[in-house]
Amino acid sequence: MEEGLTGLVLFTVAVAALSTALILVPGVAAAYALARWKGPGRGVMETVLALPLVLPPTAVGLVLLELLARDSVLGRMLDAVGVEVVFTPKAVVLASAVMAFPLLVRSARAGFEEVDPRLVAVARTLGSTRTQAFFRVTLPLAWRGVLTGALLAFSRALGEFGATVLVAGNIPGRTQTLSLAIFHRTQTGQDAEALKLAGVAVVLAFGVMYVTEAVTRRRGARGLA
């Protein structure tokens, strides 16, 4: 059981890390665009990106399942190049990434909105391009917001269940994460094992959220300074 538990924990952490890495660049780009764009369509884009936060996770999983099914356009394209996603570890990472994406965007956007545009303007007048100003001024000043968003996304991915069970299934040793294992143990009457796994999940979540709160407090202290 201990070997199985270790493998389960490592797989869950790996999925959370990979899903966070997958959404980091597009999430930061979306957050920056929302923080700077004030034109038409901004509200619609904000709403679309926030949908996974308010939709039932099973609804998100169903949409992903339909999009990736072999008889769908995307599914046929993936099948043509020999890529299988549904009911594989790739589906676990994808579902976790989709569910975690809004948390990264919201926190990173708040970080970018705290950056004084005048500082960016000064960098531009000193010869920096828009891209150089972003990496030299904007991102270094907004890094705590980006880091907080990444940690929140990671913690969300650690506990993902609803979307994952539909698009990846609950296959022990292949697609089963901690949350899925807890559900499976409960359904099969293994309550003691389920409680043990729940305790491990609590420890992991506590550690991530403790770090997240520490970063958030530093952001608040910096803002008041």
Side-chain angles (χ1 to χ4, degrees):
M1 173 63 190
E2 291 302 326
E3 291 183 1
L5 176 60
T6 301
L8 191 61
V9 171
L10 290 176
F11 178 70
T12 303
V13 172
V15 164
L18 286 172
S19 61
T20 303
L22 183 66
I23 63 175
L24 187 58
V25 172
V28 169
Y32 180 72
L34 290 175
R36 292 291 177 259
W37 176 250
K38 306 300 181 183
R42 184 175 185 266
V44 174
M45 184 58 66
E46 287 178 328
T47 302
V48 169
L49 293 178
L51 280 178
L53 284 177
V54 295
L55 284 173
T58 48
V60 177
L62 181 59
V63 171
L64 290 175
L65 186 61
E66 291 297 322
L67 286 174
L68 297 168
R70 286 192 171 183
D71 57 350
S72 69
V73 175
L74 181 57
R76 287 194 294 268
M77 292 173 60
L78 292 172
D79 192 51
V81 296
V83 176
E84 185 180 359
V85 178
V86 177
F87 301 122
T88 70
K90 298 184 189 71
V92 185
V93 173
L94 179 61
S96 299
V98 170
M99 296 303 298
F101 189 76
L103 292 174
L104 171 60
V105 172
R106 290 169 73 89
S107 183
R109 185 187 69 180
F112 287 127
E113 288 175 343
E114 292 174 359
V115 177
D116 190 340
R118 292 174 297 182
L119 298 176
V120 180
V122 170
R124 294 296 305 278
T125 60
L126 294 176
S128 295
T129 64
R130 187 181 299 274
T131 301
Q132 290 171 334
F134 174 79
F135 284 104
R136 294 175 179 175
V137 179
T138 306
L139 189 58
L141 291 175
W143 74 269
R144 284 191 176 87
V146 174
L147 178 59
T148 300
L151 290 170
L152 287 173
F154 181 82
S155 61
R156 178 66 183 84
L158 278 178
E160 167 50 30
F161 173 81
T164 303
V165 74
L166 279 179
V167 75
N170 186 8
I171 308 172
R174 182 169 169 82
T175 66
Q176 190 176 77
T177 59
L178 263 175
S179 56
L180 292 172
I182 292 169
F183 174 77
H184 176 71
R185 301 293 194 281
T186 303
Q187 292 295 102
T188 55
Q190 303 176 63
D191 291 349
E193 294 296 335
L195 284 172
K196 183 177 181 179
L197 294 177
V200 174
V202 168
V203 172
L204 286 174
F206 178 86
V208 176
M209 292 309 299
Y210 183 85
V211 174
T212 304
E213 289 298 323
V215 173
T216 302
R217 285 194 298 271
R218 289 189 63 183
R219 281 181 63 197
R222 180 175 176 271
L224 294 173

